[in-house]
Amino acid sequence: MVPHKPVMLSEVLEQLAIKEDGIYLDCTFGRGGHSQSILALLGTTGRLVALDRDVDAVASTTAQEMLKDRRFSLKHSRFSALESIVADEGLVGQISGILLDLGVSSPQLDDPKRGFSFMQDGPLDMRMDNTIAMTAALWLAQVDEKELVRVLFEYGEERFARRIAQAIVEVRAQKPLTTTRELVALIEGAIPKREKHKHPATRSFQAIRMEVNKELAELKAVLQQSIKVLKQGGRLVVISFHSLEDRIVKQFIRDESGAKYDPGKLPVKEADIAKGILVKRGKPLKASKLEIDQNPRARSAIMRVAERV
């Protein structure tokens, strides 16, 4: 099992520009790697509120130990509840920094019972929040073939989406898919050509996971809510692991930084141009070679940073 390591930790702490008396949100607590380091930099009046949609993360030993610190609180929640949680805490407009570490966590991926990994056999689950009803097995048992093709193609960028979807529909007519091993075998049989250095089930597993957990919809929701809760000068730091996620983050920052108001070459006065609510901070960042050598899962990580103005 790969030990849990928070991705781009030094970059996160630097880009959040942590102040001792600041109030911060870690929207993906995981096993607390980022949260522990943020909390360590806060003074007695600082505060950290963490969220995670995974009940295992909330119940973890690390979480329970950290909850002894009055400066820290942890909520079982998905991204889209961010604004209501901040409002309940009376902190709207007071947040100094928000961290979003997207995608599946190492503990989720490493546990065969969670059904995220195509490398281990387990139930076809893939729920980040196992209190919800919709598992990957249930979704695959009832999804329309056309919709399945769309999800595999759009979320997984799977060029053999039609072949895989057709195979799933044919197999489930006889017996529903219930394990990761069954799905992997089906995908391997449906794909006529393999990509070099990439497991044939990689793209499909990713796409199904993203659909089951509504990951892109949750990301769009939390980005919009972030600008409502950040204080002036507050930072938004987002780590993406997938091109679709990164595209959404990039577009959001560009739209909210005023670029969407660019009049081009028209003779418009500066005073007539609406100003954005965010400003992009620096270029996208990637993990160092040293970190990637120590933690291969950081290879695809890309960080974008924006500041509330």
Side-chain angles (χ1 to χ4, degrees):
M1 182 178 289
V2 179
H4 174 65
K5 296 179 181 179
V7 171
M8 300 182 73
L9 178 58
S10 61
E11 292 87 348
V12 164
L13 299 178
E14 180 182 355
Q15 295 304 321
L16 281 174
I18 294 171
K19 300 175 178 62
E20 287 191 354
D21 61 349
I23 302 171
Y24 296 87
L25 297 177
D26 181 354
C27 296
T28 38
F29 178 77
R31 287 302 181 269
H34 290 121
S35 281
Q36 286 176 309
S37 296
I38 294 169
L39 193 61
L41 294 176
L42 297 180
T44 55
T45 58
R47 189 170 173 192
L48 173 63
V49 179
L51 319 177
D52 206 296
R53 65 196 296 187
D54 189 343
V55 291
D56 288 351
V58 175
S60 68
T61 303
T62 301
Q64 298 310 304
E65 191 64 30
M66 289 182 67
L67 284 168
K68 296 175 183 177
D69 191 324
R70 62 176 181 79
R71 301 171 301 163
F72 177 72
S73 58
L74 176 60
K75 314 289 183 181
H76 175 230
S77 171
R78 58 179 56 203
F79 286 166
S80 54
L82 175 72
E83 189 179 358
S84 64
I85 286 174
V86 174
D88 289 344
E89 296 286 324
L91 298 175
V92 173
Q94 299 180 50
I95 304 301
S96 305
I98 298 174
L99 171 63
L100 298 170
D101 180 10
L102 307 178
V104 65
S105 72
S106 296
Q108 289 170 335
L109 194 62
D110 290 334
D111 185 354
K113 297 191 297 294
R114 301 300 296 270
F116 287 104
S117 175
F118 47 78
M119 300 300 291
Q120 306 176 80
D121 191 31
L124 201 50
D125 194 319
M126 299 194 197
R127 292 173 297 172
M128 290 179 172
D129 179 356
N130 53 23
T131 66
I132 65 172
M134 184 61 72
T135 64
L138 186 56
W139 184 75
L140 286 171
Q142 61 187 39
V143 65
D144 175 76
E145 183 175 348
K146 187 176 180 181
E147 174 65 5
L148 179 53
V149 172
R150 183 193 70 79
V151 168
L152 294 176
F153 184 75
E154 290 186 13
Y155 297 170
E157 299 175 303
E158 174 55 73
R159 59 178 175 152
F160 299 115
R162 292 187 185 280
R163 285 175 175 264
I164 295 169
Q166 185 178 18
I168 288 172
V169 171
E170 289 176 355
V171 167
R172 76 183 185 189
Q174 307 301 320
K175 179 183 176 294
L177 293 163
T178 59
T179 71
T180 53
R181 181 172 291 168
E182 290 173 345
L183 181 57
V184 168
L186 181 149
I187 293 168
E188 288 176 331
I191 290 181
K193 185 179 179 181
R194 295 192 175 200
E195 293 180 70
K196 194 174 182 180
H197 306 308
K198 187 182 282 285
H199 191 285
T202 301
R203 297 180 182 277
S204 295
F205 267 64
Q206 171 184 280
I208 295 165
R209 185 204 84 214
M210 293 178 78
E211 172 62 24
V212 167
N213 295 289
K214 304 297 182 188
E215 292 177 46
L216 298 187
E218 287 291 316
L219 173 58
K220 291 175 182 177
V222 77
L223 290 174
Q224 289 294 337
Q225 292 176 26
S226 69
I227 56 178
K228 299 177 182 178
V229 304
L230 281 169
K231 65 187 295 185
Q232 185 176 343
R235 294 281 183 95
L236 173 65
V237 176
V238 187
I239 304 173
S240 306
F241 293 84
H242 184 276
S243 59
L244 286 179
E245 294 170 336
D246 183 55
R247 203 173 304 148
I248 289 170
V249 176
K250 179 182 178 181
Q251 183 71 47
F252 171 76
I253 293 174
R254 185 169 64 186
D255 285 352
E256 297 302 333
S257 66
K260 63 181 176 182
Y261 306 115
D262 185 356
K265 296 181 180 179
L266 296 175
V268 177
K269 294 180 181 178
E270 182 72 19
D272 296 330
I273 303 173
K275 303 301 181 184
I277 204 165
L278 292 177
V279 61
K280 182 176 71 172
R281 286 297 176 206
K283 296 181 179 180
L285 301 173
K286 293 191 175 183
S288 67
K289 183 180 184 302
L290 176 62
E291 178 176 0
I292 292 171
D293 288 342
Q294 295 175 345
N295 182 15
R297 289 176 182 172
R299 184 181 295 109
S300 58
I302 181 166
M303 176 188 289
R304 294 186 186 271
V305 183
E307 186 173 307
R308 177 81 151 79
V309 295

